Amino acid sequence: MSTDAVQDEQQFISDLYARLDALRDRAEGSVRQSVAQVGTGRQAKLERDVHVQEETARLAQLNAVESGLCFGRIDFRDGVSHHIGRIGMREDDAERTPLLIDWRAPVARPFYLATGYSPMGLRRRRHLSTRGRTVTDLHDEIMDLGDTTRTGHESRDADEVLLAALNAARTGRMADIVQTIQAEQDRVIRASHRGVLVVEGGPGTGKTAVALHRAAYLLYAHREQLARRAVLVVGPNPAFLGYIGEVLPSLGETGVLLATVGELFPGVAARGKDTPAAAAVKGSPGMAGVLARAVRDRQTVPEHVLEIVHEDHGVLPLDRASAEDARAAARATGLPHNLARPHFAFRVIDALTAGLAERLGADPYGGPNLLGADDIAQLGKEIATSRAVHAAIDELWPSLTPERLVAGFLADPLQLPEHEQALVRRVDGPWTPADVPLLDEAAELLGADDSAERAAQEAARQEQIAYAQGVLDVSAGSTTYEFEDEESEVLTAHDIIDAERFAERQEEADTRSAAERAAADRTWAFGHIVVDEAQELSAMAWRLLMRRCPSRSMTLVGDPAQTGDAAGCDTWQEILGPYVGDRWRLERLGVNYRTPAEIMAVAAEVRRSVEPGFEPPRSVRSTGAEPLVRTVPEGELVRAAVALAAERGARAQSADGGRLAVIAPAVLLPRLAAALPSASCGEAPDLTSPAVLLTARQAKGLEFDRVVVVDPDGVRGGSPRGANDLYVALTRATQWLGIVRAQGDAAGPPPAGE
């Protein structure tokens, strides 16, 4: 086998990394130089901070693509060749010659789509395997069968590189698939970003990887728009976000916000837990109306008469009719509760003023009121500034925060049916993920009275404009601010900028990234949202997400057959109908790259127990290893599971490494954790650990080399959608599956080999 091709590619890779190092050194030097500068004036500081931010982001990108920087090459029939990599790079010459083509560029597409039947102009496609900065292997595919040139690196199997990636040991972190994107996946990745795209696929079809690569592609193709508005990726739990966290940076994208729904209300850490029944109630679509009623219930009127003791004028009576008129007028504005409150207050003050004026100015002989307009206006001011009056208004129409409203509702949820009240009642305790959509809904219903803040901002802005005008006046006769236009005419600052625009440039800039600003702003409108395990989200969670994306530019990824949450969906139309009707597109992924055929056959039988006509995705490989089943007395479940996990874990450490997961009902995890002290467990287990303990819900979206499922009957009986949970648990393994079941377990027919 010729080594010339390897040597040639090694030389190219070495030159490529030398260029990467030079770019990295340049970015580091630029950051150091900018930080060391002691600028004078606000403009200089602004320019310095923006430059540091840009160069720091560029440095993060260059560091993130170090591993597997270049992974492919395409040779066209006309003699043109391109190397394909994670980012685009150019030579440092006058022509800025392309050195490495970004995998997202249109010219790179034949690398993913070309076949012998449709070569797309290619003569050869080459996959480069590297370890660090060293070329370890080449895999050439001949596209032009008329070309007799051979390198000695032609692949015996066109799927050799794909199968090698699928069989590689897992690390506890999701790997990108940029080198092995398949045609059906590429079609989804490069689909238009406008509107809602639903990507449905069974276990192992690469839905998550496709969604993340799609986010990277959209940021490449629509950089100006999406980088400014940011892209949000929503995952089911923190462990899952940690699992996928390295994928986008490895593709050159470091500015994407990853979050769970429970992290989308700034200032709230949702660390509490709900029962499944409570979460289902909180997530139900009717909860929006329930909260609206809770707000209206806080807009009260006195039973008969509210007597307000004024500091100077004694008792001011507010009768029920006057309060009802004020409430009706405030509600008629259609404004949120807090923004409508001033309208209520003005009507109450007017009613109290009229009553006081009538009392003080009454003519004892029945004539017209003795008080003039100025007198009545003065009384109105005295009432409007009264603490007692404001206290009465607060009692009838309080200013509320979302936290105060929702906490009060949960403490006494009278707006719910009686059988649901006990499920959600909570007097104290931490916020839960299911509370976050309620808080967001409350924020919409309440609104925020920011008039004082806006007034302060405008005052500061006017002060800045006055300052800027002074700067321009001073510079009017000097050349300090001179510029030249295209015709070389000398222009002063006054000729090209006015004080208002100059003030805007002088303002302190927010140098945070778009993703950082979005994370702190509840009202932020994202350019695109990707939702993984979308079938799990409640109706209330979807209300929150739709508010975050008014353009409805979204990619939803999931599989209704894997829905485990009681508040989750059964159909995509159920989710999308209220927001976009039927204006959404469905793409299905039908090839299972993760789960061997032997394991998939067992999992499919579980699904068929609730859906007789179910057909699983087609597995691309078979390991020849049937799932191992051990049936033991119920009291021996933990002991047998620990023995099997220890056996397989020891084999893994002595062979190819990889990761082992033990998936069991939540009630068994404490005993399993005590018996397997080396295994990571808890709310956010370390997935890079050689062994990890999980519930089926925690395992959703994850994959491991070896999996032991304990008490499948307990998994299935643990929730209303337990069959789906068991289906998830059985499809996490890439190589081997063990099942420890109790005698009499009815979770499904025992696999062959028991």
Side-chain angles (χ1 to χ4, degrees):
M1 182 180 295
S2 171
T3 60
D4 292 344
V6 174
Q7 292 172 351
D8 290 343
E9 294 294 359
Q10 181 61 66
Q11 184 60 55
F12 173 81
I13 292 295
S14 297
D15 293 343
L16 186 65
Y17 275 104
R19 177 66 177 145
L20 180 70
D21 290 339
L23 291 172
R24 194 154 43 199
D25 290 344
R26 181 182 301 175
E28 288 177 345
S30 182
V31 170
R32 285 196 300 269
Q33 183 178 4
S34 296
V35 171
Q37 288 178 349
V38 182
T40 58
R42 298 180 181 180
Q43 183 67 23
K45 184 177 184 300
L46 166 61
E47 292 175 353
R48 182 195 68 185
D49 291 347
V50 170
H51 181 72
V52 168
Q53 179 197 23
E54 291 175 347
E55 290 300 301
T56 300
R58 176 62 172 163
L59 183 59
Q61 180 194 50
L62 296 173
N63 288 332
V65 299
E66 167 79 25
S67 178
L69 175 60
C70 174
F71 52 79
R73 170 177 160 174
I74 47 178
D75 298 339
F76 288 87
R77 290 172 181 167
D78 61 6
V80 174
S81 297
H82 296 296
H83 281 85
I84 312 299
R86 298 179 179 278
I87 60 172
M89 295 175 62
R90 293 179 178 272
E91 297 275 14
D92 192 14
D93 55 20
E95 293 78 20
R96 302 285 291 158
T97 306
L99 182 63
L100 185 66
I101 301 298
D102 193 301
W103 67 276
R104 298 165 285 189
V107 71
R109 204 165 190 196
F111 182 77
Y112 299 107
L113 298 184
T115 66
Y117 295 103
S118 178
M120 302 178 70
L122 292 189
R123 181 172 60 88
R124 176 189 294 113
R125 170 169 53 207
R126 169 172 290 173
H127 291 267
L128 283 75
S129 298
T130 57
R131 181 177 295 110
R133 299 186 173 193
T134 302
V135 177
T136 58
D137 205 354
L138 305 178
H139 301 270
D140 287 345
E141 296 177 64
I142 304 302
M143 297 288 134
D144 182 0
L145 300 181
D147 184 355
T148 59
T149 304
R150 296 292 181 268
T151 65
H153 296 278
E154 286 71 29
S155 293
R156 296 179 297 276
D157 186 339
D159 293 327
E160 187 174 348
V161 175
L162 173 63
L163 292 174
L166 297 179
N167 285 314
R170 270 39 190 175
T171 65
R173 292 286 181 264
M174 175 178 277
D176 63 70
I177 60 168
V178 65
Q179 187 175 359
T180 58
I181 294 171
Q182 302 301 292
E184 69 166 359
Q185 297 172 330
D186 184 84
R187 183 181 67 252
V188 174
I189 289 169
R190 298 175 193 263
S192 169
H193 81 291
R194 298 189 181 279
V196 178
L197 175 67
V198 176
V199 184
E200 180 181 311
T205 53
K207 302 182 298 299
T208 298
V210 165
L212 296 174
H213 287 68
R214 174 166 167 75
Y217 170 76
L218 293 177
L219 281 164
Y220 173 86
H222 307 280
R223 176 74 62 188
E224 183 175 349
Q225 175 185 353
L226 295 184
R228 184 175 63 253
R229 297 309 311 163
V231 172
L232 170 66
V233 176
V234 179
N237 54 60
F240 177 84
L241 294 181
Y243 176 65
I244 68 171
E246 296 176 4
V247 174
L248 282 166
S250 75
L251 299 174
E253 300 298 340
T254 58
V256 176
L257 177 62
L258 274 64
T260 65
V261 169
E263 296 169 328
L264 291 178
F265 195 88
V268 167
R271 299 191 179 93
K273 276 188 175 183
D274 277 313
T275 65
V281 171
K282 292 179 180 181
S284 63
M287 189 56 67
V290 169
L291 288 179
R293 290 195 297 275
V295 171
R296 291 176 69 87
D297 287 347
R298 302 300 297 272
Q299 301 164 357
T300 61
V301 295
E303 186 67 27
H304 298 291
V305 176
L306 176 64
E307 295 184 342
I308 305 170
V309 181
H310 190 272
E311 294 86 340
D312 298 318
H313 299 293
V315 174
L316 303 177
L318 178 66
D319 61 80
R320 182 181 180 89
S322 297
E324 286 180 338
D325 288 344
R327 182 172 66 178
R331 287 176 173 175
T333 65
L335 294 171
H337 173 88
N338 288 334
L339 300 185
R341 183 175 181 273
H343 295 269
F344 175 79
F346 293 149
R347 289 297 188 110
V348 168
I349 290 170
D350 286 346
L352 294 175
T353 301
L356 180 61
E358 182 178 351
R359 174 160 60 90
L360 296 180
D363 185 344
Y365 302 104
N369 195 292
L370 300 177
L371 299 179
D374 290 344
D375 298 322
I376 294 175
Q378 180 59 36
L379 291 178
K381 290 180 181 179
E382 293 173 3
I383 290 176
T385 57
S386 167
R387 292 183 179 180
V389 170
H390 280 283
I393 292 171
D394 285 339
E395 180 183 343
L396 299 175
W397 194 297
S399 179
L400 297 171
T401 65
E403 293 88 341
R404 181 181 170 190
L405 176 70
V406 175
F409 163 73
L410 293 176
D412 195 11
L414 296 177
Q415 294 79 12
L416 286 173
E418 188 172 348
H419 69 281
E420 293 181 347
Q421 292 181 20
L423 295 175
V424 303
R425 182 174 284 111
R426 186 183 71 224
V427 177
D428 197 6
W431 296 111
T432 71
D435 292 333
V436 167
L438 305 187
L439 291 167
D440 196 74
E441 189 74 25
E444 292 293 311
L445 292 168
L446 297 175
D449 184 1
D450 60 351
S451 56
E453 181 181 352
R454 285 188 284 107
Q457 290 175 346
E458 180 60 22
R461 180 172 174 272
Q462 292 301 325
E463 182 182 348
Q464 187 69 271
I465 291 173
Y467 165 79
Q469 186 64 57
V471 172
L472 292 175
D473 291 342
V474 170
S475 67
S478 70
T479 59
T480 304
Y481 293 90
E482 287 183 352
F483 304 89
E484 290 188 359
D485 68 1
E486 294 178 355
E487 298 179 357
S488 299
E489 293 181 359
V490 175
L491 306 173
T492 68
H494 273 291
D495 296 317
I496 64 171
I497 191 169
D498 59 23
E500 187 167 354
R501 288 177 57 205
F502 189 73
E504 291 174 357
R505 291 177 57 181
Q506 292 289 330
E507 290 176 353
E508 293 290 339
D510 188 345
T511 57
R512 294 175 298 170
S513 69
E516 290 171 331
R517 285 182 282 128
D521 185 354
R522 190 196 69 81
T523 63
W524 188 273
F526 288 92
H528 192 83
I529 294 182
V530 176
V531 185
D532 205 325
E533 301 293 349
Q535 76 280 352
E536 299 294 337
L537 269 60
S538 70
M540 290 300 292
W542 283 113
R543 288 177 65 87
L544 179 155
L545 290 180
M546 291 297 174
R547 283 193 283 267
R548 299 294 196 277
C549 193
S551 67
R552 303 295 190 260
S553 177
M554 308 177 84
T555 302
L556 313 184
V557 182
D559 177 16
Q562 298 183 63
T563 304
D565 199 295
C569 78
D570 293 309
T571 68
W572 299 118
Q573 187 61 39
E574 180 184 340
I575 292 173
L576 297 172
Y579 305 102
V580 298
D582 59 358
R583 300 184 305 279
W584 53 278
R585 189 156 58 90
L586 175 65
E587 292 281 356
R588 286 190 172 91
L589 301 176
V591 179
N592 187 335
Y593 299 99
R594 175 209 300 148
T595 318
E598 295 85 353
I599 296 176
M600 202 64 218
V602 174
E605 287 304 311
V606 170
R607 278 298 305 159
R608 291 190 183 111
S609 68
V610 293
E611 185 183 345
F614 174 76
E615 287 299 324
R618 177 179 58 85
S619 296
V620 300
R621 62 198 177 99
S622 172
T623 61
E626 295 290 342
L628 174 65
V629 179
R630 290 183 179 172
T631 302
V632 298
E634 186 172 351
E636 296 292 312
L637 282 171
V638 170
R639 184 196 60 77
V642 169
L644 189 56
E647 173 190 332
R648 289 292 164 169
R651 289 189 187 183
Q653 294 308 305
S654 63
D656 59 351
R659 298 294 181 273
L660 168 74
V662 178
I663 303 175
V667 295
L668 291 182
L669 289 187
R671 293 169 57 197
L672 286 166
L676 288 170
S678 62
S680 180
C681 61
E683 286 298 310
D686 179 8
L687 299 179
T688 65
S689 173
V692 62
L693 298 176
L694 302 165
T695 65
R697 297 287 181 86
Q698 287 180 300
K700 193 176 293 289
L702 309 181
E703 59 182 40
F704 305 89
D705 300 85
R706 300 163 184 82
V707 170
V708 176
V709 175
V710 186
D711 190 15
D713 205 30
V715 172
R716 189 165 65 174
S719 74
R721 299 179 188 260
N724 292 357
D725 289 340
L726 181 56
Y727 178 61
V728 169
L730 294 171
T731 54
R732 299 304 96 194
T734 65
Q735 300 295 335
W736 178 86
L737 172 67
I739 300 172
V740 179
R741 55 188 290 171
Q743 292 172 348
D745 191 328
E754 180 170 6

PDB file of all heavy atoms in Angstrom, residues 17 65-66 114 118 147 178 234 241 297 303 316 325 349 513 520 575 620 637:
ATOM      1  N   TYR A  17      -2.389  23.106  10.483  1.00  0.00           N
ATOM      2  CA  TYR A  17      -2.305  23.409  11.912  1.00  0.00           C
ATOM      3  C   TYR A  17      -1.334  24.554  12.186  1.00  0.00           C
ATOM      4  O   TYR A  17      -1.505  25.311  13.151  1.00  0.00           O
ATOM      5  CB  TYR A  17      -1.911  22.165  12.696  1.00  0.00           C
ATOM      6  CG  TYR A  17      -3.096  21.296  13.041  1.00  0.00           C
ATOM      7  CD1 TYR A  17      -3.348  20.119  12.354  1.00  0.00           C
ATOM      8  CD2 TYR A  17      -3.981  21.671  14.042  1.00  0.00           C
ATOM      9  CE1 TYR A  17      -4.446  19.317  12.659  1.00  0.00           C
ATOM     10  CE2 TYR A  17      -5.085  20.889  14.366  1.00  0.00           C
ATOM     11  CZ  TYR A  17      -5.314  19.715  13.668  1.00  0.00           C
ATOM     12  OH  TYR A  17      -6.406  18.941  13.978  1.00  0.00           O
ATOM     13  N   VAL A  65     -11.981  23.908  17.549  1.00  0.00           N
ATOM     14  CA  VAL A  65     -11.918  23.063  16.348  1.00  0.00           C
ATOM     15  C   VAL A  65     -10.586  22.338  16.223  1.00  0.00           C
ATOM     16  O   VAL A  65     -10.289  21.760  15.178  1.00  0.00           O
ATOM     17  CB  VAL A  65     -12.180  23.902  15.076  1.00  0.00           C
ATOM     18  CG1 VAL A  65     -13.563  24.524  15.136  1.00  0.00           C
ATOM     19  CG2 VAL A  65     -11.119  24.987  14.886  1.00  0.00           C
ATOM     20  N   GLU A  66      -9.800  22.342  17.271  1.00  0.00           N
ATOM     21  CA  GLU A  66      -8.476  21.706  17.233  1.00  0.00           C
ATOM     22  C   GLU A  66      -8.547  20.237  16.835  1.00  0.00           C
ATOM     23  O   GLU A  66      -7.767  19.751  16.023  1.00  0.00           O
ATOM     24  CB  GLU A  66      -7.818  21.856  18.614  1.00  0.00           C
ATOM     25  CG  GLU A  66      -6.575  21.002  18.840  1.00  0.00           C
ATOM     26  CD  GLU A  66      -5.329  21.587  18.185  1.00  0.00           C
ATOM     27  OE1 GLU A  66      -5.297  22.803  17.975  1.00  0.00           O
ATOM     28  OE2 GLU A  66      -4.404  20.809  17.893  1.00  0.00           O
ATOM     29  N   ALA A 114     -22.710  12.881  -2.804  1.00  0.00           N
ATOM     30  CA  ALA A 114     -22.304  12.200  -4.037  1.00  0.00           C
ATOM     31  C   ALA A 114     -22.373  10.681  -3.887  1.00  0.00           C
ATOM     32  O   ALA A 114     -22.042  10.125  -2.830  1.00  0.00           O
ATOM     33  CB  ALA A 114     -20.891  12.619  -4.436  1.00  0.00           C
ATOM     34  N   SER A 118     -24.821   9.171  -8.816  1.00  0.00           N
ATOM     35  CA  SER A 118     -24.891  10.620  -8.986  1.00  0.00           C
ATOM     36  C   SER A 118     -23.649  11.238  -8.352  1.00  0.00           C
ATOM     37  O   SER A 118     -23.667  11.726  -7.217  1.00  0.00           O
ATOM     38  CB  SER A 118     -26.156  11.172  -8.310  1.00  0.00           C
ATOM     39  OG  SER A 118     -26.225  12.570  -8.425  1.00  0.00           O
ATOM     40  N   ASP A 147     -12.171   6.358 -14.133  1.00  0.00           N
ATOM     41  CA  ASP A 147     -10.841   6.783 -13.701  1.00  0.00           C
ATOM     42  C   ASP A 147     -10.108   5.567 -13.135  1.00  0.00           C
ATOM     43  O   ASP A 147     -10.523   4.989 -12.133  1.00  0.00           O
ATOM     44  CB  ASP A 147     -10.976   7.873 -12.641  1.00  0.00           C
ATOM     45  CG  ASP A 147      -9.627   8.437 -12.208  1.00  0.00           C
ATOM     46  OD1 ASP A 147      -8.590   7.921 -12.657  1.00  0.00           O
ATOM     47  OD2 ASP A 147      -9.620   9.389 -11.407  1.00  0.00           O
ATOM     48  N   VAL A 178     -20.012  15.358  11.861  1.00  0.00           N
ATOM     49  CA  VAL A 178     -19.692  16.177  10.692  1.00  0.00           C
ATOM     50  C   VAL A 178     -18.969  15.383   9.606  1.00  0.00           C
ATOM     51  O   VAL A 178     -19.084  15.667   8.419  1.00  0.00           O
ATOM     52  CB  VAL A 178     -18.863  17.405  11.129  1.00  0.00           C
ATOM     53  CG1 VAL A 178     -17.508  16.987  11.678  1.00  0.00           C
ATOM     54  CG2 VAL A 178     -18.724  18.397   9.992  1.00  0.00           C
ATOM     55  N   VAL A 234     -32.997  23.988  23.299  1.00  0.00           N
ATOM     56  CA  VAL A 234     -33.695  23.570  24.524  1.00  0.00           C
ATOM     57  C   VAL A 234     -33.584  22.056  24.663  1.00  0.00           C
ATOM     58  O   VAL A 234     -33.928  21.309  23.744  1.00  0.00           O
ATOM     59  CB  VAL A 234     -35.181  23.984  24.474  1.00  0.00           C
ATOM     60  CG1 VAL A 234     -35.906  23.517  25.738  1.00  0.00           C
ATOM     61  CG2 VAL A 234     -35.310  25.490  24.312  1.00  0.00           C
ATOM     62  N   LEU A 241     -27.938  18.452  28.514  1.00  0.00           N
ATOM     63  CA  LEU A 241     -27.228  19.613  27.985  1.00  0.00           C
ATOM     64  C   LEU A 241     -25.721  19.458  28.161  1.00  0.00           C
ATOM     65  O   LEU A 241     -24.943  19.863  27.289  1.00  0.00           O
ATOM     66  CB  LEU A 241     -27.717  20.892  28.673  1.00  0.00           C
ATOM     67  CG  LEU A 241     -29.174  21.275  28.398  1.00  0.00           C
ATOM     68  CD1 LEU A 241     -29.519  22.574  29.122  1.00  0.00           C
ATOM     69  CD2 LEU A 241     -29.442  21.407  26.905  1.00  0.00           C
ATOM     70  N   ASP A 297     -58.810  37.816  40.247  1.00  0.00           N
ATOM     71  CA  ASP A 297     -59.244  37.691  41.641  1.00  0.00           C
ATOM     72  C   ASP A 297     -58.476  38.630  42.567  1.00  0.00           C
ATOM     73  O   ASP A 297     -58.917  38.883  43.702  1.00  0.00           O
ATOM     74  CB  ASP A 297     -59.073  36.244  42.124  1.00  0.00           C
ATOM     75  CG  ASP A 297     -60.106  35.310  41.514  1.00  0.00           C
ATOM     76  OD1 ASP A 297     -61.080  35.807  40.921  1.00  0.00           O
ATOM     77  OD2 ASP A 297     -59.909  34.080  41.608  1.00  0.00           O
ATOM     78  N   GLU A 303     -66.620  45.168  50.026  1.00  0.00           N
ATOM     79  CA  GLU A 303     -67.921  44.523  50.150  1.00  0.00           C
ATOM     80  C   GLU A 303     -69.041  45.563  50.144  1.00  0.00           C
ATOM     81  O   GLU A 303     -70.056  45.402  49.448  1.00  0.00           O
ATOM     82  CB  GLU A 303     -67.972  43.702  51.441  1.00  0.00           C
ATOM     83  CG  GLU A 303     -69.230  42.870  51.601  1.00  0.00           C
ATOM     84  CD  GLU A 303     -69.325  41.753  50.577  1.00  0.00           C
ATOM     85  OE1 GLU A 303     -68.251  41.291  50.112  1.00  0.00           O
ATOM     86  OE2 GLU A 303     -70.459  41.353  50.230  1.00  0.00           O
ATOM     87  N   LEU A 316     -62.396  59.147  54.287  1.00  0.00           N
ATOM     88  CA  LEU A 316     -62.825  59.249  52.892  1.00  0.00           C
ATOM     89  C   LEU A 316     -63.496  57.933  52.525  1.00  0.00           C
ATOM     90  O   LEU A 316     -62.833  56.899  52.431  1.00  0.00           O
ATOM     91  CB  LEU A 316     -61.633  59.498  51.963  1.00  0.00           C
ATOM     92  CG  LEU A 316     -60.781  60.737  52.247  1.00  0.00           C
ATOM     93  CD1 LEU A 316     -59.604  60.793  51.277  1.00  0.00           C
ATOM     94  CD2 LEU A 316     -61.624  62.002  52.138  1.00  0.00           C
ATOM     95  N   ASP A 325     -66.703  50.761  39.161  1.00  0.00           N
ATOM     96  CA  ASP A 325     -66.522  51.592  37.979  1.00  0.00           C
ATOM     97  C   ASP A 325     -65.033  51.750  37.654  1.00  0.00           C
ATOM     98  O   ASP A 325     -64.629  51.683  36.493  1.00  0.00           O
ATOM     99  CB  ASP A 325     -67.150  52.975  38.204  1.00  0.00           C
ATOM    100  CG  ASP A 325     -68.669  52.931  38.189  1.00  0.00           C
ATOM    101  OD1 ASP A 325     -69.225  51.918  37.701  1.00  0.00           O
ATOM    102  OD2 ASP A 325     -69.295  53.897  38.672  1.00  0.00           O
ATOM    103  N   ILE A 349     -58.969  57.890  42.807  1.00  0.00           N
ATOM    104  CA  ILE A 349     -58.619  59.231  43.306  1.00  0.00           C
ATOM    105  C   ILE A 349     -59.664  60.253  42.871  1.00  0.00           C
ATOM    106  O   ILE A 349     -60.073  61.130  43.649  1.00  0.00           O
ATOM    107  CB  ILE A 349     -57.210  59.619  42.814  1.00  0.00           C
ATOM    108  CG1 ILE A 349     -56.163  58.755  43.527  1.00  0.00           C
ATOM    109  CG2 ILE A 349     -56.939  61.100  43.054  1.00  0.00           C
ATOM    110  CD1 ILE A 349     -54.772  58.884  42.949  1.00  0.00           C
ATOM    111  N   SER A 513     -22.177  38.739  24.678  1.00  0.00           N
ATOM    112  CA  SER A 513     -22.637  38.118  23.443  1.00  0.00           C
ATOM    113  C   SER A 513     -24.152  38.124  23.404  1.00  0.00           C
ATOM    114  O   SER A 513     -24.826  38.319  24.430  1.00  0.00           O
ATOM    115  CB  SER A 513     -22.125  36.680  23.345  1.00  0.00           C
ATOM    116  OG  SER A 513     -22.763  35.859  24.319  1.00  0.00           O
ATOM    117  N   ALA A 520     -30.390  36.626  29.996  1.00  0.00           N
ATOM    118  CA  ALA A 520     -30.777  37.520  31.084  1.00  0.00           C
ATOM    119  C   ALA A 520     -32.046  38.305  30.791  1.00  0.00           C
ATOM    120  O   ALA A 520     -32.495  39.089  31.630  1.00  0.00           O
ATOM    121  CB  ALA A 520     -29.633  38.501  31.373  1.00  0.00           C
ATOM    122  N   ILE A 575     -49.273  20.041  19.350  1.00  0.00           N
ATOM    123  CA  ILE A 575     -48.363  21.103  19.769  1.00  0.00           C
ATOM    124  C   ILE A 575     -48.541  22.349  18.921  1.00  0.00           C
ATOM    125  O   ILE A 575     -48.694  23.465  19.418  1.00  0.00           O
ATOM    126  CB  ILE A 575     -46.893  20.633  19.665  1.00  0.00           C
ATOM    127  CG1 ILE A 575     -46.588  19.554  20.694  1.00  0.00           C
ATOM    128  CG2 ILE A 575     -45.941  21.808  19.829  1.00  0.00           C
ATOM    129  CD1 ILE A 575     -45.212  18.940  20.511  1.00  0.00           C
ATOM    130  N   VAL A 620     -28.744  -0.275  11.063  1.00  0.00           N
ATOM    131  CA  VAL A 620     -27.770  -0.449   9.989  1.00  0.00           C
ATOM    132  C   VAL A 620     -26.734  -1.527  10.311  1.00  0.00           C
ATOM    133  O   VAL A 620     -25.935  -1.892   9.461  1.00  0.00           O
ATOM    134  CB  VAL A 620     -27.031   0.864   9.686  1.00  0.00           C
ATOM    135  CG1 VAL A 620     -27.998   1.941   9.253  1.00  0.00           C
ATOM    136  CG2 VAL A 620     -26.207   1.330  10.891  1.00  0.00           C
ATOM    137  N   LEU A 637     -33.198  -8.578  42.813  1.00  0.00           N
ATOM    138  CA  LEU A 637     -32.988  -7.704  41.655  1.00  0.00           C
ATOM    139  C   LEU A 637     -31.706  -6.882  41.768  1.00  0.00           C
ATOM    140  O   LEU A 637     -30.899  -6.827  40.832  1.00  0.00           O
ATOM    141  CB  LEU A 637     -34.187  -6.764  41.486  1.00  0.00           C
ATOM    142  CG  LEU A 637     -35.450  -7.350  40.847  1.00  0.00           C
ATOM    143  CD1 LEU A 637     -36.605  -6.364  40.956  1.00  0.00           C
ATOM    144  CD2 LEU A 637     -35.186  -7.700  39.384  1.00  0.00           C
TER     145      LEU A 637
END
